[in-house]
Amino acid sequence: MALRVYNTLTGRKEEFVPLEPGKVKMYVCGVTVYDHCHIGHARANVVFDMIFRYLKYVGFDVTYVRNYTDIDDKIINRANRDGIPWHEVSRRFIAEFDKDMASLGLELPTHQPKATEHIPEIIAIVERLQEKGHAYAVAGDVYFRVATFADYLKLSKRNLEDMQAGARVEVDERKENPMDFALWKGAKPGEPSWESPWGAGRPGWHIECSAMSMKFLGETFDIHGGGKDLVFPHHENEIAQSEAANGSPFVNYWLHNGFVNINSEKMSKSLGNFFTIKEVLERYDAEVLRFFLLSAHYRSPIDFCDQNLTEAHTGLERIYKGLAEIHRLCDGRVAAGDSLSDSGRELEEKVTAIGIRFREAMDDDFNTALAIAGLFDLIRGVNRVATEDSVVNVRLHQILDAARQAVGDVARVLGIFSSVPVEYLGRIKSRRAAALEISTEEIEELIAQRALARKTKDFRRSDEIRDLLLSRNIVLLDSPAGTTWGVK
RNA sequence: GGCGACGUAGCCAAGUGGUAAGGCAGAGGUCUGCAAAACCUUUAUCCGGCGGUUCAAAUCCGCCCGUCGCCUCCA
């Protein structure tokens, strides 16, 4: 089955056919580096990281470009506010972005260009647009003349008249058309600037992406991604600039991820209901966040709230416990023979199917929710074997090993489940234990006392200890091998 | 005002023409001294409402109701 993707440009799912067989050229809008990243950035970047990984998984040679917007009004404002140079702001938040993305387990894109390192390329495009009559200069600024680009608004499917009727923007009298947008901004005194044919200034917001994508991917490339909120005006303007300058199609497939809501409300700085990635990672493991973000389809809105994160945590833990079972069964004694129990046969079927199910799910516009469902199904099969089969023979061992490998494939694409299971489980246990008001030593001591009580069948004392620990959020798990504990 | 998206069980969430995945929570059972975990069974005669197309619709079309987003910087 071929990969199908939802293309914002056509509003439909389409079969993905790259320009050059076997190769994919992909550009994703990065961040403007003026503040810490929030979970909206986390989603966008995790989603396209997953897409990047999957394209590679199915055998494409992928060139993935993600930019840093390192010069912008917001950066200048922040620098003025903090009383530091603008490049200090961008340098700092590039480092913070890199740190955040690394903690979320993202792979590095092929290229991570910066806007300020492409000023000559940007100026060249603006000049070309001016030569072709698509742009005009006014007192040091240069604007794109939207009236000259017939396809303007083809991505966001609006029309100029309606846009102007509902416009909430102050009209700039110097523009020929209120919808014309800045390609180059003349510098006011004290502002950072680069020399240009129009005087000292800096690039407009959209032009950098046209310049950098062209440099690394060519005039026409396969995939351009970003958050839904970038459709208008950012991506619309990129199309206008690039296609007007080059006279060739800009992008074949436009992919946009949905928003993150906070407790069902739009996340925004003015509402004060946004969380930075760092804040979230203080409360939840990075894999939990990643699992949560991928447990819904990338185009759907997703609601960030404690209940949903807790559910994600529980689900992820279930899978890791299952993986730990696979390891335990595989690493134990292997008996001779190749007969299979019902549960063994059932697992064999699930293992055989999982690879195909995963491909089908992902080929359908990267349906990670469905892919994860398949994984849960496999894990149930594993647990059933663990419960019902006391002996692992050669054949069952092979099946379990195949299950382990199948999960490994999914793990590499989703960027989850790639920890060693017992390490993950230990990690979340110590994370929770750190929040407890009782030390590990005290817990161990109480468990020892309880073991003694149980030995003498003093179950009253035994239950007393368990209830005491439970009141401190400690859950005990008795097994023939002894008692272990976990945090509720 | 213009444009667009969405509305599936208590909750989260797949499913775009063939008779409702998966997870969480709940109930019953197995196991256990009792629990926990795990496993088994179970939980939507039905997919916001009303019409229409079709042999057949949650899935296509129309209208209505509701929620949300974009139109200003935004992932």
Side-chain angles (χ1 to χ4, degrees):
Chain A
M1 196 175 117
L3 172 63
R4 291 167 61 78
V5 300
Y6 181 88
N7 188 353
T8 307
L9 193 59
T10 56
R12 280 197 303 268
K13 275 188 205 170
E14 299 173 346
E15 185 175 338
F16 176 74
V17 183
L19 286 161
E20 198 180 331
K23 294 191 176 177
V24 177
K25 294 179 163 74
M26 174 162 94
Y27 187 96
V28 173
C29 288
V31 287
T32 300
V33 281
Y34 74 105
D35 205 349
H36 292 283
C37 288
H38 52 63
I39 53 176
H41 298 114
R43 183 179 195 191
N45 283 286
V46 164
V47 161
F48 286 102
D49 179 59
M50 171 275 291
I51 290 173
F52 177 43
R53 288 165 183 250
Y54 185 66
L55 292 171
K56 288 194 291 184
Y57 172 77
V58 297
F60 286 114
D61 176 9
V62 187
T63 307
Y64 174 25
V65 180
R66 185 183 62 205
N67 71 292
Y68 296 104
T69 297
D70 62 343
I71 182 64
D72 174 88
D73 290 3
K74 290 194 290 293
I75 295 172
I76 297 171
N77 291 342
R78 173 88 189 216
N80 291 339
R81 197 195 84 185
D82 293 355
I84 54 175
W86 67 272
H87 49 83
E88 194 52 39
V89 173
S90 56
R91 189 202 56 75
R92 177 180 169 208
F93 288 110
I94 284 172
E96 295 295 340
F97 174 88
D98 290 347
K99 216 184 287 176
D100 286 341
M101 295 307 123
S103 59
L104 290 174
L106 267 72
E107 290 189 6
L108 287 178
T110 320
H111 303 286
Q112 299 190 82
K114 299 183 181 82
T116 56
E117 291 172 355
H118 297 85
I119 302 295
E121 289 89 338
I122 289 168
I123 290 173
I125 297 176
V126 179
E127 283 184 305
R128 193 154 14 131
L129 287 170
Q130 206 173 1
E131 282 161 22
K132 290 188 172 185
H134 290 296
Y136 56 96
V138 185
D141 292 343
V142 184
Y143 293 99
F144 186 89
R145 189 177 269 135
V146 294
T148 65
F149 187 68
D151 278 343
Y152 195 57
L153 304 178
K154 69 176 170 184
L155 184 68
S156 52
K157 298 169 185 63
R158 306 156 198 254
N159 66 69
L160 279 173
E161 293 74 49
D162 292 341
M163 293 286 286
Q164 285 164 35
R168 286 184 272 159
V169 211
E170 254 181 75
V171 177
D172 184 339
E173 295 300 332
R174 301 174 310 160
K175 290 185 190 176
E176 293 176 6
N177 184 308
M179 296 303 291
D180 289 348
F181 56 90
L183 297 165
W184 187 262
K185 292 177 159 186
K188 297 188 192 80
E191 284 183 348
S193 65
W194 289 260
E195 276 314 312
S196 82
W198 315 282
R202 62 180 184 275
W205 173 35
H206 320 290
I207 193 70
E208 54 169 288
C209 289
S210 290
M212 292 185 278
S213 62
M214 199 191 303
K215 175 176 174 181
F216 291 97
L217 303 173
E219 293 183 2
T220 305
F221 56 97
D222 300 299
I223 295 175
H224 193 130
K228 265 195 167 81
D229 49 350
L230 294 182
V231 172
F232 184 88
H234 187 52
H235 290 161
E236 199 69 72
N237 292 352
E238 277 186 56
I239 293 174
Q241 295 159 353
S242 295
E243 299 197 346
N246 297 328
S248 50
F250 181 40
V251 169
N252 286 147
Y253 302 93
W254 285 92
L255 272 47
H256 293 98
N257 66 274
F259 290 118
V260 177
N261 292 133
I262 306 279
N263 298 316
S264 307
E265 269 191 323
K266 175 187 159 71
M267 177 173 72
S268 78
K269 292 216 167 184
S270 53
L271 283 169
N273 63 344
F274 65 96
F275 294 105
T276 64
I277 292 173
K278 292 180 187 70
E279 285 167 345
V280 172
L281 293 184
E282 277 171 25
R283 299 179 54 205
Y284 301 98
D285 190 272
E287 276 196 65
V288 171
L289 178 58
R290 209 173 153 117
F291 181 79
F292 165 70
L293 292 173
L294 294 175
S295 63
H297 186 92
Y298 76 90
R299 283 188 283 117
S300 310
I302 195 166
D303 193 32
F304 185 93
C305 61
D306 278 332
Q307 189 189 336
N308 290 349
L309 266 290
T310 303
E311 270 187 24
H313 180 275
T314 309
L316 186 66
E317 191 172 17
R318 178 179 168 79
I319 289 175
Y320 264 119
K321 279 180 181 166
L323 288 177
E325 280 301 297
I326 297 182
H327 284 254
R328 187 180 66 78
L329 293 166
C330 280
D331 297 343
R333 265 190 54 194
V334 180
D338 61 356
S339 61
L340 281 184
S341 63
D342 284 351
S343 51
R345 257 191 302 279
E346 189 186 279
L347 180 61
E348 187 177 39
E349 280 167 27
K350 287 181 196 289
V351 170
T352 309
I354 184 82
I356 299 157
R357 286 180 70 183
F358 178 64
R359 283 288 294 262
E360 279 178 356
M362 295 296 286
D363 274 347
D364 186 12
D365 197 29
F366 312 105
N367 193 336
T368 52
L370 194 56
I372 289 171
L375 216 48
F376 274 113
D377 211 38
L378 181 72
I379 291 298
R380 190 162 7 92
V382 169
N383 282 332
R384 191 171 166 195
V385 164
T387 312
E388 295 180 4
D389 294 343
S390 49
V391 178
V392 176
N393 66 23
V394 176
R395 178 135 172 238
L396 185 57
H397 188 271
Q398 282 172 354
I399 293 168
L400 286 164
D401 200 52
R404 176 154 61 176
Q405 283 181 31
V407 175
D409 283 348
V410 177
R412 270 189 295 284
V413 173
L414 299 185
I416 352 177
F417 323 119
S418 27
S419 302
V420 174
V422 290
E423 280 176 10
Y424 173 82
L425 295 169
R427 197 162 85 214
I428 56 167
K429 182 174 163 183
S430 58
R431 188 190 186 98
R432 286 154 146 184
L436 295 170
E437 293 158 6
I438 183 167
S439 73
T440 308
E441 291 72 31
E442 285 174 275
I443 295 168
E444 301 289 354
E445 170 57 25
L446 284 166
I447 288 175
Q449 283 182 29
R450 178 166 170 274
L452 215 65
R454 290 182 74 209
K455 210 168 178 179
T456 58
K457 301 224 187 295
D458 181 358
F459 295 122
R460 235 185 87 170
R461 175 65 184 147
S462 163
D463 290 348
E464 224 173 73
I465 294 173
R466 190 177 52 212
D467 290 345
L468 172 72
L469 286 169
L470 192 62
S471 70
R472 307 285 187 86
N473 278 330
I474 307 291
V475 188
L476 297 183
L477 295 85
D478 294 332
S479 80
T483 301
T484 56
W485 62 276
V487 185
K488 199 176 168 185

